[in-house]
Amino acid sequence: MKNAGIILTLILMAGSTNLSAETYLDGFLQGLWGGRLDGKNPTATEYTVAETRLQMRLQHYGDGGEFFGRIDFTHDAADSVDYDWELREAYMKFSLGSKLDLKVGRQILTWGTGDLVFINDVFAKDYQSFFVGRDDQYLKAPQTAIRAEYYAGLGAFSAVWTPRFEPNRLPTGRKLSYYSPMEGSIVGEGFYLDPPTPEAKFENSELATRFSRQVGNFNTSLYFYRGFYKNPLGAVMDVFSIMPVYPRLNVYGASLRGTMMGGILWLEGGYFESRDDRDGDDPLMPNSSINGLVGFERQVATDLTANLQWQVDHMLDYDIFESQQMPGIYVRDETRHLLTSRITKLLNSELVRLSVFVFYSPTDEDAYVRLASSYKYTDEITIEVGGNIFTGKYDNTEFGQFQKNDNGYLKLTYGF
Amino acid sequence: MNYVKSLKYLMILTLVSVAGIGLSVLAEDATGIMMKSHLAYYYAGDDGVADVTMTIADAKRERVKQFTMIRMDIEEGGMQKYYTYFKKPSDIARLTFMVHKDPKETDARWIYVPSVDLIKPISGDDKNSSFVGSDFSYEDVSGRHWNEDTHTLKGDSIWNDSPVFIIESIPNEAYKGFARKTSYIDKTSYLPVLEVYYNKKDKMTRIFRADKIETIDGFPTVTIRSMENLKKKRTTTVDFSSIRYNQKVTEKIFTERFLKTPPRQYIK
């Protein structure tokens, strides 16, 4: 209801600002079916996804600004038949003066340099979609926010203010299993506790800022975020129960990206300050950490591109953390290393696209492989077949916890 | 006898020198023609905006892409900047693409994907790779510098009732794009009207044709062009509509800010 109010206001604003206006409508109809490859998955359903999706996009622009709306209607048959809709985007874009650009409303936001590795990209992610084969656009969950970008000679300054905190969307056990620290094992349905989002107060809003400047061949940026961890990494105990919560977080970061050695090189770093546990001694709250990333991408042969990334996640106050762990379960290393690689090959004049993305942690001894092959049959019809494979030595590592969720999928899309 | 021999020797020497000078004059002409052709085709005006319909057709089906392209010359015959806004089909609609072309160095390229709000620099050393899946390569779209090949004027001919130069070009360094190219250059406009590409086995691989030439804003322009790929048995036809030159495009448009927010004064 609140969203409908926003859309209506934005349409009226857009409608009133133009002398010459144009409207475009397009979208797609998509069927996505995926099944689990591991019979022992404790989830409620055998299908990881079985949905029909209709996306409609409306773009309206005039002299004053632009309105864009994107809405999804889904029919989900994975377990009980369910109809749903989601307003993916509904925003208004306009400029104030010649240097200030504004984007207001429900929108997808991305920044940072990593390829599926996020340090300063503090915007909500949708792992439920990511793990079952939905389109890349579904990796990010929309946030209702105001984005302002000011372009000065010195550089570009961006600020995103999200009044109501938007968390990541994580597996709940219904279609994808995960590790429950409470149970001490990988669980399916029935163990999910919906963490309460912070109260709707001004101090609980999110503020993400970035300053960008071109220095020679490199685009350099500085970031600051004040908000919360997007995963419920903390917990609160009261007399009867233990509830997962989203702890407070500040991120201070920097990145640079540019061309070098015939390819693209990127470097990013961030200091994650866990505001609810600055000393690291609260066993229910995450410790602060330092994160670093280096990556390189290059076109290796005709229509073949590959990249490599190395991420380092160093936990601060590790000795306190280690002493607080229960015996018998795997305890992560002080410094977790993650290596990733993406290889993409285009065939048949870009009509066939093969890609594989590998996440591998030598310290946690787990991995996640994403495979996808798509064929653009006509301008309107695309067929995609893919899979998601998880493997891990332990049940409680980042990818190891999803090891029973191996799945394969088929996706048909008709665009119009 | 010595006198006759040395006279003969002198005559041969003279003939060879004259021929040498003649050949070098001819070679300069050929390079000069190719330079003029390059500028006429790729650098017309200080900038240009065009709405483009690209049709890729083979025996089975046809694919159509529509986009608007903005070009700005930073230096005549030198650095150029390109901005492309895709309109159709719907899976690439609203995607924007930017190239900073420097003939001396590798191009810098970026793409913006609005559905994920992602600006991504694209690594691409390979100017020979296909431009958006068509039979035109990046090099066909932004140009191959005339100094990269050695040109020879083979003569002249008539093509579509117009007199043309026939020029043969061979790359100075081994190049997988072609081993030899024959170009028909219109004598009046210096636009290429026909280009035949041969591979190292001297087999025809691609044929470029200027299907329609019109004068727009005083500049002779190839408004419909096609590239036939003989190996793939496919032709890409590019139709430029509503071309306008010298729109006073500013360099600031070719920045990340405008990748995210397309300049509406040029894109309808």
Short mmCIF file of all heavy atoms in Angstrom, two decimals, chain B residues 38-73:
data_model
loop_
_atom_site.label_atom_id
_atom_site.label_comp_id
_atom_site.label_asym_id
_atom_site.label_seq_id
_atom_site.Cartn_x
_atom_site.Cartn_y
_atom_site.Cartn_z
N HIS B 38 39.75 7.35 -44.86
CA HIS B 38 39.55 7.10 -43.43
C HIS B 38 38.90 8.31 -42.76
O HIS B 38 37.96 8.18 -41.97
CB HIS B 38 40.92 6.80 -42.79
CG HIS B 38 40.86 6.38 -41.36
ND1 HIS B 38 40.82 5.07 -40.97
CD2 HIS B 38 40.86 7.12 -40.23
CE1 HIS B 38 40.80 5.02 -39.64
NE2 HIS B 38 40.81 6.25 -39.17
N LEU B 39 39.40 9.50 -43.11
CA LEU B 39 38.86 10.71 -42.49
C LEU B 39 37.44 10.97 -42.98
O LEU B 39 36.58 11.41 -42.22
CB LEU B 39 39.76 11.91 -42.79
CG LEU B 39 41.16 11.84 -42.16
CD1 LEU B 39 42.00 13.03 -42.60
CD2 LEU B 39 41.07 11.82 -40.65
N ALA B 40 37.19 10.70 -44.26
CA ALA B 40 35.84 10.95 -44.80
C ALA B 40 34.82 10.01 -44.16
O ALA B 40 33.68 10.39 -43.91
CB ALA B 40 35.85 10.77 -46.32
N TYR B 41 35.23 8.79 -43.92
CA TYR B 41 34.31 7.77 -43.41
C TYR B 41 34.15 7.81 -41.90
O TYR B 41 33.05 7.68 -41.39
CB TYR B 41 34.84 6.40 -43.86
CG TYR B 41 33.93 5.23 -43.60
CD1 TYR B 41 32.73 5.10 -44.28
CD2 TYR B 41 34.29 4.23 -42.70
CE1 TYR B 41 31.91 3.99 -44.06
CE2 TYR B 41 33.48 3.14 -42.48
CZ TYR B 41 32.29 3.02 -43.16
OH TYR B 41 31.48 1.94 -42.93
N TYR B 42 35.25 8.01 -41.16
CA TYR B 42 35.19 7.93 -39.69
C TYR B 42 35.22 9.27 -38.98
O TYR B 42 34.85 9.35 -37.82
CB TYR B 42 36.36 7.08 -39.16
CG TYR B 42 36.29 5.62 -39.52
CD1 TYR B 42 37.13 5.08 -40.49
CD2 TYR B 42 35.38 4.78 -38.89
CE1 TYR B 42 37.06 3.73 -40.82
CE2 TYR B 42 35.31 3.43 -39.22
CZ TYR B 42 36.15 2.91 -40.19
OH TYR B 42 36.08 1.58 -40.52
N TYR B 43 35.68 10.31 -39.65
CA TYR B 43 35.85 11.60 -38.96
C TYR B 43 35.03 12.73 -39.57
O TYR B 43 35.39 13.89 -39.42
CB TYR B 43 37.34 11.97 -38.92
CG TYR B 43 38.17 11.09 -38.01
CD1 TYR B 43 38.62 9.85 -38.43
CD2 TYR B 43 38.48 11.50 -36.71
CE1 TYR B 43 39.36 9.04 -37.59
CE2 TYR B 43 39.22 10.70 -35.86
CZ TYR B 43 39.66 9.46 -36.31
OH TYR B 43 40.40 8.66 -35.48
N ALA B 44 33.94 12.41 -40.22
CA ALA B 44 33.13 13.46 -40.85
C ALA B 44 32.61 14.42 -39.78
O ALA B 44 32.02 14.00 -38.79
CB ALA B 44 31.96 12.83 -41.60
N GLY B 45 32.84 15.70 -39.97
CA GLY B 45 32.39 16.68 -38.98
C GLY B 45 33.19 16.55 -37.70
O GLY B 45 34.11 15.75 -37.60
N ASP B 46 32.85 17.35 -36.70
CA ASP B 46 33.53 17.26 -35.41
C ASP B 46 32.87 16.22 -34.52
O ASP B 46 33.47 15.69 -33.59
CB ASP B 46 33.50 18.61 -34.69
CG ASP B 46 34.31 19.66 -35.43
OD1 ASP B 46 35.31 19.28 -36.07
OD2 ASP B 46 33.93 20.85 -35.38
N ASP B 47 31.59 15.95 -34.80
CA ASP B 47 30.87 14.93 -34.05
C ASP B 47 29.67 14.47 -34.89
O ASP B 47 29.33 15.11 -35.89
CB ASP B 47 30.40 15.44 -32.69
CG ASP B 47 29.49 16.66 -32.77
OD1 ASP B 47 28.42 16.57 -33.41
OD2 ASP B 47 29.85 17.72 -32.21
N GLY B 48 29.08 13.38 -34.47
CA GLY B 48 27.91 12.88 -35.20
C GLY B 48 27.00 12.08 -34.29
O GLY B 48 27.47 11.44 -33.35
N VAL B 49 25.70 12.17 -34.55
CA VAL B 49 24.72 11.40 -33.79
C VAL B 49 23.87 10.66 -34.81
O VAL B 49 23.47 11.24 -35.81
CB VAL B 49 23.80 12.31 -32.94
CG1 VAL B 49 22.84 11.46 -32.11
CG2 VAL B 49 24.61 13.21 -32.04
N ALA B 50 23.62 9.40 -34.58
CA ALA B 50 22.80 8.65 -35.53
C ALA B 50 21.95 7.61 -34.82
O ALA B 50 22.37 7.04 -33.81
CB ALA B 50 23.68 7.96 -36.56
N ASP B 51 20.76 7.39 -35.36
CA ASP B 51 19.93 6.27 -34.89
C ASP B 51 20.23 5.11 -35.82
O ASP B 51 20.18 5.26 -37.04
CB ASP B 51 18.45 6.64 -34.95
CG ASP B 51 18.09 7.72 -33.95
OD1 ASP B 51 18.83 7.85 -32.94
OD2 ASP B 51 17.11 8.44 -34.16
N VAL B 52 20.54 3.98 -35.26
CA VAL B 52 21.03 2.86 -36.06
C VAL B 52 20.14 1.65 -35.92
O VAL B 52 19.72 1.29 -34.82
CB VAL B 52 22.46 2.48 -35.61
CG1 VAL B 52 23.03 1.39 -36.50
CG2 VAL B 52 23.38 3.70 -35.61
N THR B 53 19.85 1.02 -37.07
CA THR B 53 19.15 -0.28 -37.05
C THR B 53 20.10 -1.28 -37.67
O THR B 53 20.53 -1.12 -38.81
CB THR B 53 17.85 -0.20 -37.87
OG1 THR B 53 17.04 0.83 -37.33
CG2 THR B 53 17.10 -1.53 -37.79
N MET B 54 20.42 -2.29 -36.90
CA MET B 54 21.38 -3.28 -37.36
C MET B 54 20.66 -4.62 -37.53
O MET B 54 20.06 -5.11 -36.58
CB MET B 54 22.50 -3.40 -36.33
CG MET B 54 23.54 -4.43 -36.64
SD MET B 54 24.76 -4.53 -35.31
CE MET B 54 26.01 -3.44 -35.93
N THR B 55 20.70 -5.17 -38.73
CA THR B 55 20.01 -6.43 -39.00
C THR B 55 21.04 -7.49 -39.33
O THR B 55 21.85 -7.32 -40.24
CB THR B 55 19.04 -6.26 -40.19
OG1 THR B 55 18.22 -5.13 -39.95
CG2 THR B 55 18.17 -7.50 -40.37
N ILE B 56 21.01 -8.58 -38.57
CA ILE B 56 21.93 -9.68 -38.82
C ILE B 56 21.10 -10.81 -39.41
O ILE B 56 20.23 -11.35 -38.73
CB ILE B 56 22.60 -10.13 -37.51
CG1 ILE B 56 23.31 -8.94 -36.85
CG2 ILE B 56 23.60 -11.26 -37.76
CD1 ILE B 56 23.75 -9.17 -35.43
N ALA B 57 21.35 -11.14 -40.68
CA ALA B 57 20.48 -12.12 -41.34
C ALA B 57 21.28 -13.29 -41.88
O ALA B 57 22.30 -13.11 -42.55
CB ALA B 57 19.72 -11.43 -42.47
N ASP B 58 20.78 -14.50 -41.58
CA ASP B 58 21.36 -15.66 -42.24
C ASP B 58 20.22 -16.41 -42.93
O ASP B 58 19.11 -15.91 -43.00
CB ASP B 58 22.14 -16.54 -41.26
CG ASP B 58 21.28 -17.09 -40.13
OD1 ASP B 58 20.05 -17.20 -40.31
OD2 ASP B 58 21.84 -17.39 -39.06
N ALA B 59 20.48 -17.63 -43.37
CA ALA B 59 19.46 -18.35 -44.12
C ALA B 59 18.21 -18.60 -43.29
O ALA B 59 17.10 -18.62 -43.80
CB ALA B 59 20.03 -19.67 -44.63
N LYS B 60 18.40 -18.81 -41.97
CA LYS B 60 17.27 -19.21 -41.13
C LYS B 60 16.50 -18.05 -40.54
O LYS B 60 15.28 -18.07 -40.50
CB LYS B 60 17.77 -20.12 -40.01
CG LYS B 60 18.09 -21.54 -40.48
CD LYS B 60 18.55 -22.42 -39.33
CE LYS B 60 20.07 -22.36 -39.21
NZ LYS B 60 20.56 -23.25 -38.13
N ARG B 61 17.21 -17.05 -40.03
CA ARG B 61 16.47 -15.99 -39.34
C ARG B 61 17.19 -14.66 -39.36
O ARG B 61 18.31 -14.53 -39.79
CB ARG B 61 16.15 -16.40 -37.90
CG ARG B 61 17.37 -16.44 -37.02
CD ARG B 61 17.02 -16.90 -35.62
NE ARG B 61 17.93 -17.95 -35.21
CZ ARG B 61 17.62 -19.25 -35.23
NH1 ARG B 61 16.42 -19.62 -35.59
NH2 ARG B 61 18.49 -20.14 -34.88
N GLU B 62 16.46 -13.68 -38.85
CA GLU B 62 16.95 -12.31 -38.85
C GLU B 62 16.92 -11.79 -37.43
O GLU B 62 15.96 -12.02 -36.70
CB GLU B 62 15.95 -11.49 -39.67
CG GLU B 62 16.54 -10.28 -40.34
CD GLU B 62 15.53 -9.64 -41.25
OE1 GLU B 62 14.61 -8.99 -40.75
OE2 GLU B 62 15.68 -9.81 -42.47
N ARG B 63 17.97 -11.09 -37.02
CA ARG B 63 17.95 -10.47 -35.70
C ARG B 63 18.15 -8.98 -35.88
O ARG B 63 18.97 -8.56 -36.68
CB ARG B 63 19.11 -11.01 -34.85
CG ARG B 63 18.87 -12.40 -34.37
CD ARG B 63 20.15 -13.01 -33.86
NE ARG B 63 20.12 -14.43 -34.09
CZ ARG B 63 19.50 -15.30 -33.30
NH1 ARG B 63 18.88 -14.88 -32.23
NH2 ARG B 63 19.50 -16.58 -33.59
N VAL B 64 17.40 -8.23 -35.12
CA VAL B 64 17.45 -6.77 -35.29
C VAL B 64 17.86 -6.10 -33.99
O VAL B 64 17.32 -6.41 -32.94
CB VAL B 64 16.08 -6.22 -35.74
CG1 VAL B 64 16.16 -4.73 -35.98
CG2 VAL B 64 15.60 -6.93 -36.99
N LYS B 65 18.79 -5.17 -34.08
CA LYS B 65 19.17 -4.38 -32.92
C LYS B 65 18.99 -2.92 -33.29
O LYS B 65 19.32 -2.51 -34.40
CB LYS B 65 20.64 -4.63 -32.55
CG LYS B 65 20.90 -5.97 -31.89
CD LYS B 65 22.33 -6.06 -31.39
CE LYS B 65 22.54 -7.20 -30.42
NZ LYS B 65 22.40 -8.54 -30.99
N GLN B 66 18.50 -2.17 -32.32
CA GLN B 66 18.37 -0.73 -32.56
C GLN B 66 19.11 0.02 -31.48
O GLN B 66 18.99 -0.31 -30.29
CB GLN B 66 16.90 -0.32 -32.51
CG GLN B 66 16.22 -0.42 -33.86
CD GLN B 66 14.78 0.01 -33.77
OE1 GLN B 66 14.43 0.83 -32.93
NE2 GLN B 66 13.97 -0.54 -34.63
N PHE B 67 19.88 1.01 -31.89
CA PHE B 67 20.59 1.81 -30.89
C PHE B 67 20.89 3.19 -31.45
O PHE B 67 20.76 3.43 -32.65
CB PHE B 67 21.89 1.12 -30.44
CG PHE B 67 22.79 0.65 -31.55
CD1 PHE B 67 23.81 1.47 -32.04
CD2 PHE B 67 22.65 -0.63 -32.08
CE1 PHE B 67 24.65 1.02 -33.05
CE2 PHE B 67 23.50 -1.09 -33.08
CZ PHE B 67 24.50 -0.26 -33.57
N THR B 68 21.24 4.08 -30.55
CA THR B 68 21.64 5.43 -30.95
C THR B 68 23.12 5.56 -30.63
O THR B 68 23.58 5.14 -29.57
CB THR B 68 20.85 6.50 -30.17
OG1 THR B 68 19.47 6.35 -30.48
CG2 THR B 68 21.29 7.91 -30.56
N MET B 69 23.86 6.12 -31.57
CA MET B 69 25.30 6.23 -31.39
C MET B 69 25.74 7.69 -31.49
O MET B 69 25.32 8.40 -32.40
CB MET B 69 25.98 5.43 -32.49
CG MET B 69 27.38 5.03 -32.15
SD MET B 69 27.92 3.79 -33.32
CE MET B 69 29.12 2.95 -32.37
N ILE B 70 26.57 8.10 -30.54
CA ILE B 70 27.12 9.46 -30.54
C ILE B 70 28.63 9.34 -30.66
O ILE B 70 29.26 8.57 -29.94
CB ILE B 70 26.78 10.19 -29.22
CG1 ILE B 70 25.29 10.13 -28.94
CG2 ILE B 70 27.26 11.64 -29.27
CD1 ILE B 70 24.89 10.67 -27.57
N ARG B 71 29.18 10.11 -31.59
CA ARG B 71 30.64 10.07 -31.78
C ARG B 71 31.19 11.48 -31.65
O ARG B 71 30.59 12.43 -32.12
CB ARG B 71 30.98 9.50 -33.16
CG ARG B 71 32.41 9.81 -33.63
CD ARG B 71 32.65 9.50 -35.08
NE ARG B 71 31.77 10.21 -35.99
CZ ARG B 71 32.06 11.37 -36.58
NH1 ARG B 71 33.20 11.98 -36.35
NH2 ARG B 71 31.19 11.92 -37.40
N MET B 72 32.36 11.58 -31.01
CA MET B 72 33.00 12.88 -30.94
C MET B 72 34.47 12.73 -31.28
O MET B 72 35.15 11.83 -30.78
CB MET B 72 32.85 13.45 -29.53
CG MET B 72 33.50 14.81 -29.39
SD MET B 72 33.24 15.45 -27.75
CE MET B 72 34.22 16.93 -27.86
N ASP B 73 34.97 13.59 -32.18
CA ASP B 73 36.39 13.56 -32.53
C ASP B 73 37.14 14.46 -31.57
O ASP B 73 36.85 15.65 -31.48
CB ASP B 73 36.60 14.07 -33.96
CG ASP B 73 35.89 13.21 -34.99
OD1 ASP B 73 35.54 12.07 -34.67
OD2 ASP B 73 35.68 13.71 -36.12
#
